[in-house]
């Protein structure tokens, strides 16, 4: 983590949206949380990339539809920089193409602008801790998008244990840690340990990359049964 939160202070946030009223509203709402702090604002994607570099926030909130450089391209540039902040897409447009491009760029969250403030706060805090949070209304669409992607032959040299691969399959099918724990009759802490280990073994950053890996390598194949 690069900003104030690294030293135990508030999570530093950069807001990027081309609508001044949206930026003002986000600043006002975020200002109600003592552990969150807005460091700056940008009205287009190009400026967002510049401010992400100079202000070094912990989390960047990016609108998708912005002038000069759109939010998805801005996210790609921000994440490609050394020691980047976490990026959350905050948008009105929840199309499959947007979801796919956002996840492939490595974002740490995807929220609709109609989401309640509690979801926004949770996404910011999760991203700052290195996690990921998707809007509940789009989570299933993300999984479905990967299900439609043709899979490569299953990788046999992943280095995962049988249990880790089992956990990965359930992650890719959209189960939460609590649901995985119930399905496998193990504790929530054990699920977290398995996920952390498989991410490290596969050099993956987060859950979204794990889902993509599972489908792209054939560990989970398009058309696999839905979890119970």
């Amino acid at each position: 983590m690069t900003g104030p939160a690294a030293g135990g202070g508030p999570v530093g946030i950069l807001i990027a949206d081309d609508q001044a009223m949206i930026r003002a509203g986000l600043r006002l709402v975020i200002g109600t949380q003592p552990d969150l702090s807005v460091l700056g604002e940008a009205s287009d994607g190009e400026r967002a990339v510049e401010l992400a570099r100079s202000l070094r926030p912990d989390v960047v909130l990016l609108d998708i539809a912005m002038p000069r450089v759109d939010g998805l391209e801005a996210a790609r540039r921000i994440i490609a920089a050394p020691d980047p902040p976490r990026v959350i897409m905050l948008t009105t447009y929840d199309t499959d193409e947007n979801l796919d491009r956002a996840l492939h760029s490595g974002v740490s969250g995807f929220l609709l602008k109609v989401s309640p403030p509690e979801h926004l706060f949770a996404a910011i805090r999760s991203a700052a801790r290195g996690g990921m949070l998707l809007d509940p209304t789009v989570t299933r669409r993300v999984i479905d998008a990967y299900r439609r992607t043709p899979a490569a032959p299953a990788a046999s040299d992943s280095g995962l244990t049988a249990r880790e691969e089992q956990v990965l399959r359930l992650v890719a099918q959209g189960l939460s840690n609590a649901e995985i724990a119930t399905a496998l009759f193990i504790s929530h802490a054990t699920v977290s340990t398995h996920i952390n280990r498989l991410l490290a073994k596969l050099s993956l950053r987060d859950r979204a990359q794990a889902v993509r890996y599972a489908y792209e390598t054939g560990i989970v194949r398009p058309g696999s049964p839905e979890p119970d």
Side-chain angles (χ1 to χ4, degrees):
M1 191 175 297
T2 58
V11 175
I13 301 161
L14 170 64
I15 299 171
D17 195 292
D18 62 331
Q19 299 183 51
M21 289 186 65
I22 296 293
R23 297 197 305 272
L26 287 170
R27 180 183 281 273
L28 183 63
V29 169
I30 292 171
T32 65
Q33 305 300 298
D35 62 326
L36 307 179
S37 175
V38 177
L39 302 183
E41 300 177 12
S43 60
D44 62 69
E46 186 170 326
R47 183 59 175 159
V49 175
E50 295 171 353
L51 289 180
R53 186 182 305 115
S54 62
L55 296 179
R56 299 186 63 76
D58 301 298
V59 176
V60 180
L61 298 179
L62 278 178
D63 182 28
I64 286 182
M66 290 192 293
R68 300 176 73 189
V69 174
D70 69 28
L72 293 169
E73 173 61 18
R76 187 192 67 77
R77 296 184 190 180
I78 290 170
I79 293 169
D83 195 18
R86 300 288 178 163
V87 174
I88 296 172
M89 306 309 300
L90 187 62
T91 182
T92 305
Y93 307 102
D94 61 337
T95 66
D96 290 342
E97 181 183 2
N98 286 341
L99 290 170
D100 186 63
R101 286 183 61 193
L103 292 180
H104 274 80
S105 69
V107 302
S108 297
F110 193 104
L111 293 180
L112 302 184
K113 289 183 179 179
V114 295
S115 300
E118 292 75 17
H119 287 179
L120 174 64
F121 303 150
I124 292 172
R125 291 171 180 134
S126 175
R129 293 192 301 267
M132 180 178 186
L133 191 149
L134 300 177
D135 190 290
T137 63
V138 303
T139 299
R140 177 50 55 189
R141 291 181 58 190
V142 172
I143 301 301
D144 289 344
Y146 282 117
R147 286 180 178 278
R148 293 193 297 270
T149 303
S156 59
D157 57 349
S158 65
L160 301 181
T161 65
R163 177 64 93 184
E164 288 165 351
E165 189 167 309
Q166 189 177 27
V167 170
L168 177 58
R169 287 196 185 97
L170 295 178
V171 168
Q173 290 173 352
L175 273 68
S176 67
N177 284 16
E179 291 169 332
I180 294 172
T182 299
L184 299 182
F185 301 100
I186 56 180
S187 71
H188 189 282
T190 301
V191 173
S192 297
T193 297
H194 285 315
I195 291 176
N196 289 336
R197 286 178 178 169
L198 71 88
L199 290 177
K201 286 182 178 180
L202 300 174
S203 298
L204 303 175
R205 192 181 71 178
D206 52 36
R207 214 177 184 93
Q209 290 189 350
V211 171
R212 185 168 72 243
Y213 175 90
Y215 280 96
E216 289 180 346
T217 61
I219 288 177
V220 174
R221 294 184 178 276
S224 296
E226 295 283 339
D228 295 332

